[in-house]
């Protein structure tokens, strides 16, 4: 028994010393480890201060865990302040819960466009699984219930980027493989023939209707001729037995309806014939385009082979980095060289080539937009982004609409701030700090950095005090203090810059120096200091890069995606030298070599045997011209068909307009 007691005492002493050293060293243990340690102490019947400390730490950890569950972290209702408080409290615990702590830290990581933590009602993107505050994207809980699938702004921009890159890849595949070129032209012809067949079906439907209406009108006129000449007069006598039967609707109303219907049908038939004539002109124009493309097919194949190797699927990472769009959203040097060569070699007259520049610009715009949203962007940057989008072709409307909505809300908020901070001449009553705090709080729902937020914070910290002769606030801008009245004045109001004030030892305001006081309208007020948002200044984007856009778009040459979208390079042996020469001239930015190649292409191109039997076509290649034929039926173009020798002029004018 003595030996057993002595052995238990030694084990208890070892257990106590180990726990004491562990606590003194500032170590941490998990809840499972703490429970196992307590079980060992209970088995040894130990009663000491360390045992009490461990029990208290375990109880505290359990209470903390209950508070974490009640915080709403699992349901998405946790508040950022409460989550941060739980994280701070956990730092001092002896018993830790790493899984719950990791979950809390993930909640506090930046989400949404505003990069604030998970807080309040949020909606998740069905593509990237990132969560967005409902207030930041102007989506309420009721509206979210009606949405089957939500795609965020950044995923919409990525979709535009991928669409632009795929369009260029389609042109590359078209001109790399003769079979793909034949397939693309066949698809264009089929679309065009469907439009022609539609017009013929309309004519087949309208012409019988017109004939039927004419016959009915003639019949009504023949049966109502007597009544029209001798209208009935009021009489007590009974009507004649052989008088025409009176219809439910008066004959003259029916005749008027038929005349109106005939007029509309005739106009529709004339419009259909007019559209058919235009479609015939387009068919002839397409044939001429294809002949001209065939005459320049070697140049087009070489050009798109270089676009592939220099931009979309380079062979080396160094070349890919050189073709990557700049951070400010402008074309890279390689892109600029390709666009310049296309213009100088006159290849830009072809639609596939001319679209390359527009698609390059859209790709660069998407790059800049994604880089801006890595962190909370500035109002000026997003305004310039929206302004630039007005001059771009090929951008989808959805991301532009979402950006405009954010900018519009920011403009409204800025207007409210400007109105609240409007200076009043010689006003001494301070601003309403409560109202300014509400304004500052409402800015949290706008995912943009605005200069007015900092100004509001300055004024709130200064308890809304007014200064200067204009009665405006201290908004963080440069101010001068009068050495007589101790009143602070805005540097812009007294027309003194901060650099000029450094050499001023003594300064007095206009009032103290008995000068004529300027009229209030002569002072530059706070609201006038706002930037004109109609043409915002383009600011340099942040240095951060988004991981949502890959560059090159389809990986390096030989990647699975590049082969799938562009096919295998099929440059003939006769063109390999030309492609290699142009490629190195573009990559090395050798302008002399580019000019030499473009001049040789310009002078050596064959003159196609154009079909000018029915139209005189300007040398403008527009493969998508048939897509605009649907809009050619507007009222302005619905004149009667032109006949005779003026068909050529009419066709030429029509194609020029299209």
């Amino acid at each position: 028994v003595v030996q057993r007691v002595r052995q238990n005492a030694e084990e208890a002493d070892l257990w106590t010393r180990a726990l004491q050293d562990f606590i003194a060293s500032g170590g941490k243990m998990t809840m499972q480890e703490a429970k196992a340690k307590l079980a060992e102490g209970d088995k040894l019947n130990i009663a000491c201060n360390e045992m009490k400390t461990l029990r208290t730490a375990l109880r505290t950890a359990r209470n903390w865990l209950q508070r974490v569950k009640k915080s709403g972290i699992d349901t998405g209702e946790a508040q950022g302040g409460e989550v941060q408080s739980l994280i701070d409290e956990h730092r001092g615990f002896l018993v830790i819960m790493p899984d719950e702590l990791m979950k809390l830290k993930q909640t506090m990581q930046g989400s949404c466009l505003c990069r604030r933590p998970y807080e309040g009602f949020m909606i998740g993107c069905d593509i990237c699984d990132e969560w967005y505050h409902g207030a930041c994207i102007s989506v309420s809980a009721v509206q979210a219930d009606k949405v089957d699938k939500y795609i965020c702004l950044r995923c919409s921009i990525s979709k535009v980027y991928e669409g632009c890159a795929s369009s260029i890849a389609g042109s590359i595949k078209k001109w790399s493989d003769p079979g793909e070129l034949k397939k693309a032209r066949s698809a264009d012809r089929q679309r065009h023939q469907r439009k022609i067949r539609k017009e013929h079906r309309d004519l087949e439907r309208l012409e019988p209707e017109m004939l039927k209406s004419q016959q009915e009108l003639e019949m009504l006129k023949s049966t109502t001729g007597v009544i029209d000449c001798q209208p009935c007069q009021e009489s007590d006598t009974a009507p004649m037995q052989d008088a025409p039967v009176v219809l439910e609707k008066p004959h003259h109303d029916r005749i008027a309806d038929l005349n109106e219907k005939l007029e509309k049908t005739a106009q529709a038939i004339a419009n259909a014939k007019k559209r058919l004539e235009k479609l015939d002109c387009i068919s002839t124009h397409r044939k001429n385009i294809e002949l001209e493309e065939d005459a320049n097919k070697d140049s087009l194949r070489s050009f798109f082979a270089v676009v592939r190797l220099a931009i979309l699927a380079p062979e080396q990472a160094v070349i890919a980095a050189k073709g990557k769009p700049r951070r400010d959203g402008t074309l890279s040097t390689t892109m600029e060289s390709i666009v310049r060569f296309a213009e100088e070699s006159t290849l830009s007259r072809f639609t596939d080539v001319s679209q390359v520049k527009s698609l390059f610009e859209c790709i660069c715009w998407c790059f800049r937009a994604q880089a801006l949203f890595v962190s909370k962007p500035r109002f000026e940057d997003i305004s310039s982004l929206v302004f630039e989008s007005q001059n771009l072709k090929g951008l989808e409307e959805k991301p532009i609409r979402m950006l405009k909505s954010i900018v519009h809300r920011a403009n409204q908020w800025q207007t409210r701030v400007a109105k609240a901070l409007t200076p009043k001449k010689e006003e001494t009553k301070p601003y309403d700090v409560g109202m300014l705090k509400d304004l500052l709080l409402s800015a949290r729902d706008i995912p943009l950095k605005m200069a007015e937020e900092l100004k509001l914070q300055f004024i709130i910290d200064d308890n809304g005090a007014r200064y200067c002769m204009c009665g405006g606030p201290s908004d963080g801008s440069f101010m001068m203090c009068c050495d007589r009245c101790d009143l602070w004045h805005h540097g812009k109001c007294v027309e003194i810059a901060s650099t000029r004030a450094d050499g001023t030892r003594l300064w007095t305001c206009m009032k103290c120096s008995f000068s004529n006081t300027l009229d209030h309208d002569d002072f530059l007020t706070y609201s006038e200091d706002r930037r004109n948002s109609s043409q915002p200044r383009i600011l340099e984007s942040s240095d951060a890069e988004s991981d949502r856009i890959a560059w090159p778009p389809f990986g390096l040459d030989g990647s699975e995606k590049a082969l799938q979208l562009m096919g295998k390079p099929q440059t003939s042996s006769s063109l390999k030298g030309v492609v290699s020469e142009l490629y190195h001239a573009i990559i090395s930015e050798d302008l002399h070599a580019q000019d030499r190649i473009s001049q040789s292409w310009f002078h050596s191109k064959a003159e196609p045997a154009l079909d000018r039997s029915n139209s005189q076509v300007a040398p403008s290649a527009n493969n998508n011209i048939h897509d605009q034929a649907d809009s050619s039926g507007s009222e302005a173009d619905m004149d009667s068909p032109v006949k005779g020798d003026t068909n050529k002029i009419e066709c030429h004018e029509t194609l020029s307009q299209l």
Side-chain angles (χ1 to χ4, degrees):
V1 174
V2 173
Q3 290 179 352
R4 191 184 313 117
V5 171
R6 185 177 297 172
Q7 183 180 0
N8 290 341
E10 291 177 356
E11 291 178 357
D13 184 62
L14 290 174
W15 184 92
T16 304
R17 287 179 181 277
L19 181 59
Q20 186 178 6
D21 293 342
F22 182 82
I23 295 174
S25 65
K28 308 287 184 180
M29 65 177 68
T30 64
M31 185 172 286
Q32 290 76 16
E33 293 173 345
K35 289 179 180 179
K37 203 74 173 174
L38 278 175
E40 291 178 8
D42 291 338
K43 187 177 180 180
L44 295 172
N45 294 322
I46 298 175
C48 60
N49 293 332
E50 288 76 9
M51 191 75 169
K52 292 180 181 179
T53 301
L54 186 57
R55 290 186 186 278
T56 303
L58 188 59
R59 191 182 306 111
T60 302
R62 286 171 177 166
N63 293 336
W64 182 85
L65 185 59
Q66 291 296 326
R67 289 167 54 202
V68 170
K69 293 179 179 179
K70 292 180 180 179
S71 67
I73 189 173
D74 295 326
T75 60
E77 299 176 356
Q79 300 297 317
E82 184 180 0
V83 172
Q84 187 61 48
S85 176
L86 289 169
I87 293 174
D88 295 339
E89 187 178 347
H90 187 274
R91 293 194 183 100
F93 286 176
L94 172 62
V95 179
I96 61 174
M97 285 144 288
D99 294 338
E100 286 73 13
L101 181 63
M102 180 62 66
K103 190 183 295 184
L104 290 173
K105 288 183 176 180
Q106 288 177 352
T107 303
M108 289 302 295
Q109 289 178 354
S111 302
C112 188
L113 301 174
C114 62
R115 314 315 297 167
R116 286 190 289 119
Y118 198 104
E119 184 177 9
F121 166 70
M122 302 190 74
I123 182 172
C125 175
D126 290 290
I127 296 180
C128 65
D129 294 330
E130 183 159 348
W131 291 85
Y132 294 84
H133 300 105
C136 289
I137 58 175
S138 299
V139 176
S140 64
V142 177
Q143 292 173 328
D145 292 337
K146 301 177 181 178
V147 176
D148 295 331
K149 185 177 181 181
Y150 174 71
I151 301 176
C152 68
L153 173 60
R154 283 181 279 195
C155 288
S156 299
I157 294 173
S158 298
K159 185 179 177 182
V160 173
Y161 168 77
E162 293 170 0
C164 293
S166 298
S167 297
I168 300 177
S171 298
I172 293 174
K173 188 175 184 180
K174 171 183 173 181
W175 288 103
S176 299
D177 186 356
E180 292 295 331
L181 176 61
K182 184 178 179 180
K183 189 185 300 183
R185 289 178 174 178
S186 176
D188 286 343
R189 293 191 192 100
Q190 290 176 5
R191 284 194 294 267
H192 189 70
Q193 288 299 320
R194 282 196 294 269
K195 294 181 180 181
I196 293 177
R197 289 195 295 269
K198 177 183 175 298
E199 299 301 334
H200 282 297
R201 286 196 300 269
D202 290 343
L203 287 176
E204 292 174 358
R205 175 180 56 83
L206 291 171
E207 289 176 347
E209 288 183 5
M210 185 175 181
L211 181 59
K212 183 178 178 181
S213 298
Q214 288 175 342
Q215 292 174 352
E216 185 180 355
L217 181 62
E218 292 295 333
M219 183 181 67
L220 284 175
K221 287 183 177 180
S222 62
T223 57
T224 59
V226 177
I227 295 178
D228 290 341
C229 298
Q230 298 178 0
C232 296
Q233 297 180 355
E234 295 183 1
S235 175
D236 296 336
T237 60
M240 298 176 60
Q241 295 296 328
D242 57 349
V245 180
V246 179
L247 302 177
E248 293 182 1
K249 189 173 184 179
H251 284 52
H252 62 275
D253 290 345
R254 179 58 180 164
I255 291 174
D257 291 343
L258 286 173
N259 284 327
E260 183 179 358
K261 182 179 179 181
L262 281 171
E263 184 179 354
K264 291 181 179 179
T265 306
Q267 184 66 33
I269 291 174
N271 293 340
K273 291 181 178 179
K274 182 76 172 179
R275 288 192 293 269
L276 273 175
E277 287 188 3
K278 292 182 179 180
L279 289 172
D280 290 338
C281 291
I282 292 171
S283 298
T284 304
H285 184 61
R286 178 178 288 106
K287 293 178 183 178
N288 293 336
I289 290 173
E290 292 177 358
L291 289 172
E292 191 173 1
E293 287 177 345
D294 291 340
N296 294 270
K297 61 182 179 181
D298 290 342
S299 299
L300 289 168
R301 288 175 182 173
S302 302
F303 174 81
F304 281 106
V306 171
V307 173
R308 173 178 183 151
L309 293 174
I311 301 295
L312 289 196
E315 295 178 344
Q316 302 175 2
V318 177
I319 304 301
K322 195 169 184 179
K324 189 175 183 179
R326 295 190 178 102
R327 296 183 188 274
D328 59 356
T330 56
L331 301 182
S332 64
T333 53
T334 305
M335 291 179 177
E336 290 176 345
S337 298
I338 289 174
V339 171
R340 177 181 176 274
F341 179 82
E343 293 174 349
E344 301 227 345
S345 63
T346 69
L347 289 178
S348 58
R349 69 187 186 278
F350 297 105
T351 302
D352 289 338
V353 177
S354 63
Q355 286 179 346
V356 168
K357 180 182 178 181
S358 300
L359 294 171
F360 278 169
E361 291 173 345
C362 292
I363 287 173
C364 294
W365 184 91
C366 293
F367 248 87
R368 181 168 181 248
Q370 290 288 27
L372 289 175
F373 281 109
V374 169
S375 59
K376 188 176 182 179
R378 294 180 296 178
F379 169 77
E380 293 82 3
D381 290 333
I382 302 303
S383 296
S384 66
L385 204 64
V386 173
F387 182 72
E388 292 167 4
S389 67
Q390 300 174 2
N391 301 321
L392 298 179
K393 299 178 182 179
L395 284 179
E396 292 185 9
E397 183 63 26
K398 183 178 179 180
I400 305 301
R401 187 171 62 250
M402 297 171 77
L403 288 173
K404 286 182 178 179
S405 175
I406 296 174
V407 172
H408 177 67
R409 288 164 51 210
N411 277 325
Q412 288 182 325
W413 183 84
Q414 289 174 328
T415 302
R416 290 168 55 200
V417 172
K419 185 177 180 180
L421 299 182
T422 301
K424 295 182 181 179
K425 187 178 179 181
E426 299 182 357
E427 177 66 56
T428 57
K429 182 180 177 181
Y431 288 98
D432 186 350
V433 177
M435 180 186 66
L436 298 183
K437 287 182 178 179
D438 292 339
L439 278 173
L440 187 59
L441 185 63
S442 63
R444 287 167 53 88
D445 297 336
I446 302 174
L448 299 177
K449 294 178 183 177
M450 295 171 284
E452 288 80 1
E453 294 181 81
L454 184 59
K455 293 181 180 180
L456 279 177
Q457 191 62 57
F458 270 115
I459 300 168
I460 292 172
D461 294 341
D462 200 24
N463 295 322
R466 292 180 182 267
Y467 299 92
C468 191
M469 302 166 66
C470 67
S474 173
D475 54 8
S477 61
F478 168 70
M479 299 184 72
M480 288 277 292
C481 182
C482 177
D483 290 289
R484 290 189 181 181
C485 63
D486 292 332
L487 181 64
W488 288 87
H489 296 262
H490 300 111
K492 59 188 177 184
C493 290
V494 295
E495 298 181 356
I496 296 179
S498 58
T499 54
R500 193 177 139 205
D502 292 339
T504 304
R505 296 183 179 179
L506 184 66
W507 181 79
T508 56
C509 63
M510 295 183 183
K511 187 175 181 180
C512 294
S513 59
F514 301 101
S515 300
N516 293 329
T517 305
L518 293 177
D519 193 63
H520 176 63
D521 294 336
D522 294 332
F523 291 102
L524 183 62
T525 63
Y526 175 82
S527 59
E528 291 171 320
D529 193 33
R530 293 180 56 202
R531 189 184 305 279
N532 183 6
S533 60
S534 60
Q535 293 186 355
R537 180 172 61 93
I538 298 178
L539 302 176
E540 185 178 359
S541 59
S542 62
D543 293 335
E545 291 189 6
S546 174
D547 57 354
R548 290 174 174 260
I549 290 184
W551 188 264
F554 311 121
L556 296 178
D557 191 29
S559 65
E560 182 179 353
K561 195 171 183 180
L563 294 175
Q564 179 183 357
L565 292 174
M566 294 181 286
K568 294 183 179 180
Q570 297 185 15
T571 307
S572 61
S573 57
S574 59
L575 292 179
K576 284 184 178 179
V578 178
V579 172
S580 177
E581 184 181 9
L582 177 59
Y583 171 74
H584 288 96
I586 293 292
I587 295 301
S588 61
E589 300 178 33
D590 189 347
L591 299 181
H592 296 291
Q594 295 177 27
D595 291 340
R596 177 172 48 78
I597 297 172
S598 64
Q599 290 297 325
S600 64
W601 284 13
F602 178 78
H603 290 297
S604 63
K605 70 177 187 297
E607 182 67 24
L610 302 181
D611 181 9
R612 303 182 184 274
S613 59
N614 295 325
S615 64
Q616 297 177 2
V617 182
S620 173
N622 190 356
N623 291 337
N624 295 328
I625 195 169
H626 60 279
D627 292 331
Q628 304 180 27
D630 290 339
S631 61
S632 62
S634 60
E635 294 183 1
D637 297 331
M638 293 305 175
D639 300 330
S640 59
V642 180
K643 308 219 173 183
D645 295 336
T646 58
N647 279 339
K648 293 183 180 180
I649 300 175
E650 174 67 18
C651 185
H652 175 69
E653 292 177 352
T654 300
L655 291 171
S656 300
Q657 292 174 1
L658 292 176

